[in-house]
Amino acid sequence: MSIQETVFIKRRNEGLNLSGLLFRSMEPGVVSVDAQRTVTAFNRAAERITGLMAQAILGRRMTGLPASLQKVIEETFASGKPVTDRTFVLFPDAEEKAPVHASTSLCADGSGQPLVVVAVFHDLNSARKLERRIRRLERLASIGTLSAGVAHEIKNALVAIKSFSDLLAERNEDVEMTSLISRETKRIDSLVTQLLKFAGPAKPTFSSVSIHEVIENSLRLVQHHITTRKIQLVRALDAGIDLVQGDAKQLEQALINLLLNAIEAMEEMGSLTVATEIVVATAHLSPLEPKGKAEQIQVSIKDTGSGIPPEVNKRLFVPFVTTKPEGTGLGLAITSRIIQEHHGRISVESEVNKGTTFKITLPLSRMP
Ligand SMILES: Nc1ncnc2c1ncn2[C@@H]1O[C@H](COP(=O)(O)OP(=O)(O)OP(=O)(O)O)[C@@H](O)[C@H]1O
Ligand SMILES: [Mg+2]
């Protein structure tokens, strides 16, 4: 055999292998039947959809195929025309109905007599499942938009309620009741504010931000809680560089959530450590950073509090997961979202009755 012939045969075999591979891995079921009604092809998807094994079907009369499938194939042989867009149940007597969507095509000889009929069929159950999932996701997205709108309306109404209850309090009319109104209004207000942030946080406006400044500002805002609980505060802001590209207000919000959680987890005399250090990223975090040698700033917030029970830990960043009677369970969901938007990462280590450490890593700004 000449070299050309060998190459030709090799190429032809490769071509056959490729078309065989395509045929086997096709998503729809494919079955072909010749004029003698012998099954000549039956791919993997056909096996999956019909539950029949190719080896039990191939090379045999098509009577082994589901009756409904035989019917469309026979119809194509009889009419000499393809069947398009036919929907039927594969096994009408089975407990679990398997609706399929099928079409056929044919190869005919010179006189128009069909030689081979190919039926292509899809499992409608899995297509419908996918469609249902997509619809559900769309619905969730619209609920998100809707709740942001509703939250705004609620906030406006709350302003009116608050002013009137303040007025009642000034007039000294039923102080107990008005203070209750005022307290509950505040609660709804904070819930709605958190919800708004979660449903549609304003796009962050990025600029060069000093993380140490963000930490100091956040600590200032929670200082009162630290003092009243007699918590010992340890600062170890050791990172030599601390500039990141970010939104200072949002980063502050993320840190405050973590600091408040730490404070709330501790009885009196606990210890809160806030530390920063430079770490070398193990992964490629920011699209702005070259792969490989990205240095990052790591902020850790460590408490000696109650620790996080494993069942809560599993769902920590999921909205509305809370163990606190007054909590919204949105704090960590918002924090992780903000960190994500800053191309950073958040992780947690916790031991019940010992304490918890949250770690945030953020890509450093490449400016000096
Ligand atoms: N440092 C921590 N120590 C112990 N448990 C924690 C800590 N941080 C979070 N948790 C647990 O995770 C839960 C979820 O926290 P998250 O901040 O999302 O909501 P929350 O604090 O309950 O409510 P909110 O933040 O709205 O006040 C908390 O209820 C608490 O059980
Ligand atoms: Mg919280």
Side-chain angles (χ1 to χ4, degrees):
M1 202 186 295
S2 72
I3 291 179
Q4 279 92 338
E5 276 174 321
T6 320
V7 169
F8 172 75
I9 289 172
K10 192 164 173 278
R11 290 256 163 87
R12 195 190 59 185
N13 287 344
E14 277 168 3
L16 286 176
N17 282 345
L18 184 64
S19 54
L21 184 71
L22 276 175
F23 172 71
R24 280 197 303 278
S25 56
M26 270 171 87
E27 188 63 24
V30 181
V31 53
S32 75
V33 173
D34 67 13
Q36 283 71 47
R37 310 299 193 262
T38 304
V39 180
T40 51
F42 196 77
N43 74 346
R44 281 205 193 127
E47 285 186 320
R48 179 174 48 76
I49 300 169
T50 61
L52 300 167
M53 297 298 288
Q55 63 205 49
I57 299 287
L58 278 174
R60 308 215 176 151
R61 308 285 293 180
M62 74 165 180
T63 44
L65 294 176
S68 47
L69 203 53
Q70 287 182 50
K71 200 167 151 230
V72 286
I73 294 171
E74 204 50 74
E75 197 180 314
T76 314
F77 274 116
S79 66
K81 290 201 189 96
V83 168
T84 50
D85 296 335
R86 189 72 60 83
T87 302
F88 52 85
V89 173
L90 216 44
F91 302 103
D93 299 334
E95 206 167 286
E96 198 169 315
K97 302 284 175 247
V100 293
H101 181 265
S103 301
T104 61
S105 52
L106 71 161
C107 259
D109 63 12
S111 63
Q113 201 54 37
L115 293 174
V116 177
V117 169
V118 178
V120 176
F121 52 105
H122 295 263
D123 168 12
L124 280 182
N125 265 351
S126 58
R128 279 182 191 149
K129 255 185 227 155
L130 189 68
E131 200 184 305
R132 247 180 275 143
R133 250 185 82 194
I134 291 171
R135 281 225 199 97
R136 217 182 119 238
L137 286 177
E138 277 171 357
R139 232 180 10 243
L140 280 177
S142 54
I143 288 172
T145 320
L146 191 73
S147 57
V150 172
H152 265 297
E153 292 300 310
I154 294 175
K155 274 185 90 68
N156 290 344
L158 285 179
V159 174
I161 295 174
K162 192 172 177 315
S163 340
F164 284 118
S165 71
D166 286 352
L167 212 65
L168 284 178
E170 270 170 34
R171 288 188 196 163
N172 259 339
E173 286 173 29
D174 206 334
V175 179
E176 204 177 313
M177 195 108 91
T178 48
S179 75
L180 185 113
I181 295 176
S182 164
R183 199 174 62 234
E184 289 304 300
T185 316
K186 245 192 230 153
R187 214 166 72 85
I188 301 174
D189 191 48
S190 89
L191 181 68
V192 172
T193 308
Q194 300 279 64
L195 190 65
L196 258 181
K197 276 190 197 132
F198 189 74
K203 271 268 153 253
T205 40
F206 278 34
S207 60
S208 193
V209 172
S210 149
I211 286 295
H212 289 165
E213 259 175 43
V214 172
I215 292 175
E216 291 300 346
N217 282 340
S218 313
L219 283 172
R220 212 168 296 132
L221 290 169
V222 299
Q223 184 60 52
H224 171 69
H225 301 276
I226 295 176
T227 321
T228 48
R229 291 199 189 208
K230 301 195 184 76
I231 289 168
Q232 185 201 5
L233 174 65
V234 181
R235 278 185 183 82
L237 307 185
D238 295 334
I241 21 173
D242 71 332
L243 287 185
V244 304
Q245 280 298 309
D247 182 314
K249 278 283 154 231
Q250 289 205 359
L251 288 171
E252 204 176 285
Q253 169 79 48
L255 287 186
I256 289 172
N257 288 344
L258 295 181
L259 292 169
L260 284 177
N261 280 349
I263 294 165
E264 283 159 5
M266 287 188 282
E267 299 293 329
E268 292 203 343
M269 318 298 272
S271 159
L272 173 67
T273 309
V274 182
T276 62
E277 62 179 304
I278 298 298
V279 293
V280 177
T282 45
H284 176 50
L285 288 191
S286 158
L288 303 171
E289 293 290 327
K291 217 172 185 163
K293 61 174 184 65
E295 278 195 332
Q296 298 179 348
I297 184 162
Q298 177 173 291
V299 182
S300 30
I301 293 173
K302 182 174 177 210
D303 66 61
T304 54
S306 58
I308 306 172
E311 65 277 11
V312 179
N313 204 338
K314 269 187 266 168
R315 307 175 59 234
L316 209 52
F317 300 103
V318 177
F320 307 116
V321 169
T322 180
T323 54
K324 301 171 193 169
E326 303 259 299
T328 66
L330 285 170
L332 284 178
I334 291 167
T335 296
S336 76
R337 188 159 170 159
I338 293 173
I339 300 305
Q340 259 174 34
E341 278 172 4
H342 283 77
H343 312 293
R345 289 216 177 142
I346 182 164
S347 64
V348 61
E349 279 165 30
S350 185
E351 209 175 320
V352 174
N353 295 329
K354 284 246 167 87
T356 304
T357 306
F358 276 90
K359 282 184 186 159
I360 291 175
T361 36
L362 291 165
L364 282 166
S365 171
R366 287 208 273 159
M367 290 197 319

